[in-house]
Amino acid sequence: MKLSEGVEWGLHCASVLAGLPPGATLPTRSLAELHGLSETYLSKHLQALTNARIIESVPGPRGGYRLMRSPEEITLLEIVEAIDGREPLFRCTEIRQRGPLARGPQAYRRPCGIHVAMARAEQAWREALHSQTLADIVAHYVQDVDLQQRQRQEQWVAGRMRRASWQP
Amino acid sequence: MKLSEGVEWGLHCASVLAGLPPGATLPTRSLAELHGLSETYLSKHLQALTNARIIESVPGPRGGYRLMRSPEEITLLEIVEAIDGREPLFRCTEIRQRGPLARGPQAYRRPCGIHVAMARAEQAWREALHSQTLADIVAHYVQDVDLQQRQRQEQWVAGRMRRASWQP
DNA sequence: GGATGAATACTCGGATATTTATTGTCCGAGTCATCCTGG
DNA sequence: CCAGGATGACTCGGACAATAAATATCCGAGTATTCATCC
């Protein structure tokens, strides 16, 4: 089992968008080029983030993507679920209800113990993701990466971003 | 993303094996029949559990599988990792090192912030799985399922299990 | 009758197909900026 | 010189292939049992 590679892409792209001035956008092309990714495939994942109301798209020339909310209000869980889906990691198929000893459905009203145990672990994972926001990622980035490299990226992005014609 | 269906199978089968008398075994055929599963495919997952030293196999007629340790010493994490693999859920492919702004490898000695955040959540998941053992599952089962159904399964299993010819 | 041997039936083990999900690509719909034309 | 409109280029959006992984299956290797035979 593994998470979709698109989760990594989405997280990095969202972090970059978090660094833009308010209202400004960055097109898929630039996001893909910055990270050395396939532009068309990244587009697919950005669509998922758009459908999840995490980023929003501005169509047409001078268009692109931007965050729909402030980085403090976007949790990592949202991004992971938007791209990788909201289905649980562990899916109980109720095999206890199969086989020669199976009873009727009314005998299985209480949840399967294995299902409960796996759901408990999954809940811990989701809570850990929910407790971290894009702002934390950005803060870590600012603290961890040297100033020169940050400025290089800032300039590179500034040269390709599109300023909002109308402020939201 | 989803966990392998075999994880569910392995957990249920391990729970059944936990209820056997010391040294007794149960063959793949019976485990598969009890849960209504494909015998041959279940065999594949039981092999994985065997390679992980969680269960052990007794070959030949009157052979089968049994736990290699007591249920208290077998964590759910072990079973999940044995069947689904030990690779991390989130694999950082270091896309920060790609693209036009990439520096040499020495500039990326500190781990990626996104990688750290995802690993933190994954660690919470693994710890939750590590803190629960097969004994907990069995205890939940005893407390949750009515006596009659438990006795039915006990009898069914007793009629197909093989007692150890030599005690370990 | 007891012991020995080969045959046998049943088990696990790994190598091999099939299906599903993920990854990757393409072309069309929509939109804003630009350019040209006319007043 | 200014306003208006058609043009055009660039963007996102969803439908369409290629690849990788999970699912499912089959046949071979090994072993304790069992039965027949011989002493």
Side-chain angles (χ1 to χ4, degrees), chain B:
Chain B
M1 169 199 53
K2 66 174 196 293
L3 267 78
S4 167
E5 202 175 9
V7 171
E8 184 185 8
W9 298 13
L11 288 169
H12 276 275
C13 288
S15 301
V16 172
L17 294 179
L20 294 181
T25 66
L26 202 62
T28 305
R29 176 185 299 275
S30 300
L31 286 170
E33 188 185 356
L34 176 61
H35 297 105
L37 306 175
S38 157
E39 177 185 341
T40 55
Y41 188 29
L42 176 61
S43 169
K44 189 183 184 69
H45 295 306
L46 294 179
Q47 279 179 47
L49 291 175
T50 304
N51 293 333
R53 295 279 193 164
I54 295 169
I55 64 178
E56 67 181 348
S57 65
V58 175
R62 302 280 174 176
Y65 288 102
R66 65 185 162 208
L67 293 187
M68 209 164 177
R69 283 166 272 151
S70 68
E72 291 82 5
E73 294 173 312
I74 299 176
T75 70
L76 301 192
L77 180 61
E78 284 182 276
I79 296 176
V80 170
E81 287 189 337
I83 293 177
D84 211 76
R86 287 155 198 78
E87 294 182 1
L89 300 178
F90 179 85
R91 235 174 327 181
C92 181
T93 61
E94 293 288 336
I95 64 175
R96 61 174 179 169
Q97 295 191 33
R98 301 163 61 176
L101 273 63
R103 294 287 196 189
Q106 70 281 359
Y108 300 100
R109 299 187 56 182
R110 307 199 63 169
C112 169
I114 289 171
H115 176 60
V116 171
M118 294 300 292
R120 192 175 296 144
E122 196 168 324
Q123 184 64 18
W125 180 65
R126 295 200 131 84
E127 285 178 2
L129 288 177
H130 185 75
S131 69
Q132 302 181 87
T133 69
L134 256 191
D136 299 325
I137 298 293
V138 173
H140 185 283
Y141 171 79
V142 171
Q143 191 176 11
D144 212 53
V145 179
D146 63 274
L147 181 62
Q148 184 189 0
Q149 179 70 359
R150 294 208 311 274
Q151 285 180 340
R152 283 221 310 159
Q153 176 163 324
E154 190 174 355
Q155 284 186 4
W156 192 93
V157 169
R160 293 154 200 268
M161 77 179 181
R162 289 81 190 272
R163 300 199 170 278
S165 50
W166 47 272
Q167 293 290 346

Side-chain angles (χ1 to χ4, degrees), chain A residues 17-20 23 29-30 46 56 66 70 74 87 90 94 101 110 117 123 134 153 164 168:
Chain A
L17 293 179
L20 294 181
R29 177 185 300 275
S30 300
L46 294 179
E56 67 181 349
R66 64 183 161 209
S70 68
I74 299 176
E87 294 182 1
F90 179 86
E94 293 288 336
L101 273 62
R110 308 200 60 171
Q123 185 63 17
L134 256 191
Q153 176 164 325

Side-chain angles (χ1 to χ4, degrees), chain A residues 10-21:
Chain A
L11 288 169
H12 277 275
C13 289
S15 302
V16 172
L17 293 179
L20 294 181

